[in-house]
Amino acid sequence: MKLWAGPSGSLPDTPYRVDVIHRLVAGASAINTAHASKPDGVTIPVRWGAPIDDNNYIVTVGLGTPARLFSVELDTGSDLSWVQCKPCRGCYKQRDPLFDPARSSTFSAVRCGAPACQELAHKKNCSTDGEFPYKFFYAHGSQIEGNLVRDTLTLAPSQTLSGFVFGCGHDDTGSVGVVDGLIGLSPDKVSLASQAATKYGARFSYCLPSSSAAGYLSLGGAAPANTRFTAMVTRTDMDMPSLYYVNLVGIKVAGNDLNIPPRPRSCGAAQSSTPAPCSPSDPRVCLRRAPISFQKLHEQVQEGAGGGHPP
């Protein structure tokens, strides 16, 4: 476990972080055994963030050389991974010390004109010192701002990604919580899923735990023998074409089909007395189907729970 150890003081002795380290130590031999049978994959533990007052899913990774541990959220809808860095003009309060580039021997800035700059969706104009800045706005109101950088990412014992591109946040505000940052898993080229593809293969899987149970994030590796697949759908007509999409053809609760029509027969503007034909990608489809789907789902869940008033 020396690979995970940072400089003195880099890992506060909180119950949650101690629990994470105990699990990593206990699971190191199991992970290494998995590597023997799946040398092209790596698996890391996933935890629900409730113990640190976060309702998202958390992984612990190492950044820099020597590696310092950071607890970051998983996000399949984001391309850029990021942590808060020193010096920081306006960072939110996180549980762990900020990432300090000066204490990593493998850290480097991403300069304007680098391929990663062209692949980042939320970019700004180059700074006067040649570093590449970014600025993200999230739907819940948070904002992150910083520079694009590279360093070594440690995923598991003896499993690292050199030159991993991520964001060094220097001005972050909003309801982010107390996590140290975020790991992006979108299909875009700067995400962890894409950057890890050359080493582990262009695939990943995860199991999201409930309550205090442990889940996992796997990059690469063969799919289990009993895996069932659903084809992804490319949606260039959507506002966010880089997200993952699947066709939803039905919903069952406790084995009962909700009998939601797969698509409406027609769409029409509110002021029109004659509905016009439309495709499933039409935004009016979402407006019509969402209330119907939610109501049927709510009724079935209430029935399965024995009735009662909605929460």
Side-chain angles (χ1 to χ4, degrees):
M1 289 301 295
K2 290 183 178 179
L3 183 63
W4 287 93
S8 176
S10 65
L11 183 63
D13 190 19
T14 62
Y16 174 74
R17 296 303 295 277
V18 170
D19 177 63
V20 168
I21 295 303
H22 286 170
R23 288 179 178 273
L24 288 173
V25 172
S29 60
I31 290 175
N32 287 335
T33 300
H35 290 162
S37 59
K38 296 191 299 182
D40 60 335
V42 60
T43 298
I44 58 178
V46 172
R47 302 281 291 172
W48 185 32
I52 57 172
D53 298 323
D54 191 291
N55 203 35
N56 295 298
Y57 294 97
I58 311 295
V59 295
T60 300
V61 297
L63 274 174
T65 305
R68 294 171 61 86
L69 290 174
F70 296 93
S71 292
V72 292
E73 293 180 0
L74 292 179
D75 188 357
T76 58
S78 291
D79 51 358
L80 183 67
S81 303
W82 57 268
V83 294
Q84 298 193 118
C85 300
K86 290 183 177 181
C88 193
R89 297 184 298 272
C91 287
Y92 64 86
K93 187 177 181 180
Q94 63 183 50
R95 290 178 66 92
D96 304 309
L98 301 179
F99 177 69
D100 188 353
R103 300 177 70 175
S104 174
S105 62
T106 49
F107 176 89
S108 65
V110 173
R111 298 295 174 181
C112 290
C117 299
Q118 307 305 317
E119 296 159 357
L120 186 64
H122 306 267
K123 49 195 172 187
K124 297 172 60 180
N125 294 328
C126 281
S127 58
T128 55
D129 57 6
E131 294 187 357
F132 192 81
Y134 64 86
K135 191 172 186 177
F136 279 32
F137 294 94
Y138 291 100
H140 53 71
S142 299
Q143 171 186 313
I144 61 168
E145 187 172 355
N147 294 322
L148 213 57
V149 300
R150 297 179 187 272
D151 211 331
T152 299
L153 174 69
T154 302
L155 296 167
S158 303
Q159 293 292 325
T160 62
L161 291 177
S162 300
F164 178 68
V165 176
F166 64 99
C168 228
H170 300 296
D171 194 355
D172 307 323
T173 59
S175 55
V176 180
V178 297
V179 293
D180 304 329
L182 178 145
I183 287 289
L185 291 170
S186 82
D188 289 335
K189 293 183 179 179
V190 293
S191 73
L192 170 61
S194 296
Q195 292 190 62
T198 55
K199 183 171 184 177
Y200 301 117
R203 54 192 178 275
F204 72 92
S205 61
Y206 55 82
C207 174
L208 300 179
S210 59
S211 65
S212 60
Y216 65 83
L217 169 66
S218 292
L219 299 169
N226 61 345
T227 300
R228 300 180 66 182
F229 295 92
T230 297
M232 293 287 183
V233 179
T234 301
R235 297 299 300 268
T236 57
D237 59 326
M238 303 294 283
D239 290 337
M240 303 180 71
S242 62
L243 299 181
Y244 298 101
Y245 293 94
V246 294
N247 281 328
L248 180 62
V249 297
I251 301 175
K252 288 185 177 181
V253 177
N256 298 317
D257 197 327
L258 299 189
N259 295 318
I260 300 170
R263 68 182 67 180
R265 295 180 179 178
S266 62
C267 290
Q271 68 272 20
S272 174
S273 59
T274 305
C278 66
S279 69
S281 62
D282 192 300
R284 292 170 294 181
V285 173
C286 297
L287 294 176
R288 285 180 171 228
R289 291 177 63 187
I292 299 172
S293 301
F294 178 80
Q295 183 61 34
K296 287 191 175 184
L297 178 61
H298 182 269
E299 292 172 356
Q300 191 67 49
V301 170
Q302 286 298 113
E303 181 180 334
H309 296 287

